[in-house]
Amino acid sequence: MTLKQSYGIGELAREFDVTTRTIRFYEDQELLHPTRRGQTRIYSSKDRVRLKLTLRGKRLGFSLAEIRELFELWD
């Protein structure tokens, strides 16, 4: 199976059953770092994994600050 290299915000929203507003919020919280092509956000495979881990962390009761801290350790 080949993983895509980039994703649009709508693709990720549908895949993870969240709103585009949620994804933009996580971007504002510095959990996701998409590149820009004009007004379009382009999310990498790394952003996709981070979104997945963020949603999993929230379900497990972690705060966004704690999740951000874990990502900083990961990076």
Side-chain angles (χ1 to χ4, degrees), residues 7-34 36 41-43 47-48 50-52 54-55 64:
Y7 303 85
I9 193 169
E11 286 179 274
L12 291 178
R14 282 187 299 279
E15 180 178 350
F16 293 104
D17 196 28
V18 296
T19 63
T20 56
R21 187 174 181 172
T22 297
I23 294 174
R24 287 191 300 270
F25 176 74
Y26 290 153
E27 181 184 340
D28 290 342
Q29 296 299 306
E30 299 180 359
L31 297 169
L32 305 174
H33 304 283
R36 299 269 184 161
R41 291 169 169 86
I42 307 295
Y43 294 88
D47 288 315
R48 183 183 172 278
R50 282 175 166 247
L51 177 58
K52 186 176 188 175
T54 298
L55 295 171
L64 293 180

Side-chain angles (χ1 to χ4, degrees), residues 53-67 70:
L53 292 172
T54 298
L55 295 171
R56 187 173 293 161
K58 289 297 292 171
R59 278 196 312 274
L60 293 172
F62 288 92
S63 71
L64 293 180
E66 290 168 326
I67 294 168
L70 290 171

